Amino acid sequence: MSKQVSLSRYLVEQQRVDGLIPAQLRLLIEVVARACKRISHSVNKGELGDVMGSAGSENVQGEVQKKLDIIANEVLIEANEWGGHLAAMASEEMDSIYLVPNRYPQGEYLLMFDPLDGSSNIDVNVSIGTIFSVLKKPDGHPGVTEQDFLQPGSQQVAAGYCVYGPQTTLVLTVGDGVAMFTLDREQGSFVLTQENVKIPADTKEFAINMSNMRHWDTPVKRYIDECLAGKEGPRGKDFNMRWIASMVADVHRIMTRGGIFMYPWDKREPNKPGKLRLLYEANPMGWLIEQAGGAATNGRERILDVQPTQLHERVSVVLGSKNEVERVTQYHLEGTST
Ligand code: AHM
Ligand code: MG
């Protein structure tokens, strides 16, 4: 029988053998994984757990919060605030940063999360997830401020997501490639099911919300038009399309078989750089994708090089198979018109 490697063992090996992560970071990741198990449990209960539907409130970005958005946020905070590994947290669902209460020891890490990504899919029993990103608190001053969170994604020390689908899968990077862990419900632990995840550089599959087509910028329209033209068009091959409307699920498909995902800036709200959030969604996903050999840009520059200026900053996102992302980025840089 082949040996099963639990997430705990994987992390201990990363810490001990490879010296890749300090003990505090290992503890932090284990705690986040434990919280994801609890969220997975609530997601599975659905109507039986009174977790469906709207919470009757809005977040700081004016989006209606679902009960599960709030439950998942609370689970992540409760799990992480007392362990001594964190200085502060920030979440898509909270207006401002959450400082670890004084009664608990303070650690050196900052945790950011989108507690429940793909909220519009909660009530329809379609895959959703949790996305997280970890930074080190900058040295040199006591306490934590919002400014401490405004570090480019290239500074992340860990990032991951957990997808709640037919299986619950945790996907993680600490800067040494991407590993996937499947939740074994009988054992109650995440088991390593894939290491060194690699995204093929080429693909015939794109993911974008096509209903926004009339609002797109010229380079995005050009790229999709060329895909739609299929074998007879300039790309000389037929493309397939998928759009789950849960970034976690769309990214997970790309991690598994390649593809390109785009949520670009569009003319609906020209002053907003995009829909997705830089700190909670684009940075962690961008790093995971790069660690798996893919690429992630905002259409012009590498996502991980973008200097954040606000906690809830939004960004245009193009990520996935390297050659396709480079092509879309090239179209933007050329300032092309069709
Ligand atoms: P959420 O974090 O509030 O769920 O919003 C982010 C989601 C992404 O998961 C997904 O890619 C996108 O919003 C879908 O947006 P749309 O409904 O405009 O297609
Ligand atoms: Mg989200």
Side-chain angles (χ1 to χ4, degrees), residues 318-335:
V318 181
L319 57 76
S321 289
K322 201 162 195 269
N323 292 341
E324 295 300 306
V325 173
E326 281 174 0
R327 176 181 286 268
V328 176
T329 308
Q330 192 52 39
Y331 288 1
H332 279 84
L333 294 175
E334 281 168 15

Side-chain angles (χ1 to χ4, degrees), residues 104-330:
Y104 301 123
Q106 314 279 311
E108 55 183 341
Y109 291 103
L110 305 173
L111 174 65
M112 285 137 287
F113 47 82
D114 177 357
L116 216 290
D117 176 64
S119 308
S120 70
N121 281 322
I122 295 172
D123 295 339
V124 293
N125 201 359
V126 169
S127 295
I128 49 185
T130 297
I131 311 172
F132 66 94
S133 160
V134 185
L135 291 168
K136 238 179 143 182
K137 180 178 117 55
D139 294 330
H141 60 276
V144 191
T145 64
E146 194 169 304
Q147 188 65 33
D148 294 333
F149 285 83
L150 306 183
Q151 303 180 40
S154 55
Q155 297 301 307
Q156 291 171 105
V157 294
Y161 64 81
C162 187
V163 56
Y164 312 115
Q167 301 116 42
T168 289
T169 308
L170 183 78
V171 178
L172 175 73
T173 187
V174 291
D176 180 36
V178 176
M180 293 189 183
F181 303 83
T182 305
L183 180 60
D184 181 329
R185 288 187 191 281
E186 278 115 64
Q187 288 184 38
S189 61
F190 280 104
V191 177
L192 180 67
T193 40
Q194 206 182 332
E195 253 184 308
N196 295 320
V197 176
K198 286 282 167 256
I199 299 171
D202 292 298
T203 183
K204 291 166 140 187
E205 199 160 65
F206 65 85
I208 192 166
N209 185 337
M210 294 283 288
S211 69
N212 298 324
M213 187 179 234
R214 70 191 185 285
H215 306 294
W216 291 343
D217 205 3
T218 313
V220 175
K221 178 120 182 17
R222 172 182 172 190
Y223 175 77
I224 296 296
D225 280 347
E226 290 179 1
C227 293
L228 296 177
K231 265 198 190 110
E232 295 76 29
R235 302 300 308 276
K237 60 182 183 180
D238 290 335
F239 279 77
N240 185 30
M241 193 203 85
R242 288 285 184 276
W243 184 251
I244 303 175
S246 291
M247 187 194 200
V248 167
D250 277 313
V251 166
H252 194 62
R253 184 189 58 257
I254 291 171
M255 283 286 183
T256 309
R257 68 179 190 209
I260 181 168
F261 168 96
M262 287 187 269
Y263 211 120
W265 170 89
D266 67 40
K267 292 175 192 136
R268 280 175 298 169
E269 291 181 87
N271 295 330
K272 264 194 200 168
K275 174 178 181 181
L276 299 176
R277 267 75 25 151
L278 179 57
L279 299 192
Y280 320 114
E281 295 167 322
N283 273 343
M285 290 310 205
W287 194 31
L288 284 158
I289 290 280
E290 282 194 4
Q291 283 288 314
T297 75
N298 64 1
R300 293 171 189 281
E301 98 178 279
R302 186 180 173 227
I303 294 263
L304 300 191
D305 289 338
V306 174
Q307 172 61 54
T309 55
Q310 294 173 46
L311 198 60
H312 297 293
E313 184 164 332
R314 296 176 190 258
V315 66
S316 182
V317 174
V318 181
L319 57 76
S321 289
K322 201 162 195 269
N323 292 341
E324 295 300 306
V325 173
E326 281 174 0
R327 176 181 286 268
V328 176
T329 308
Q330 192 52 39

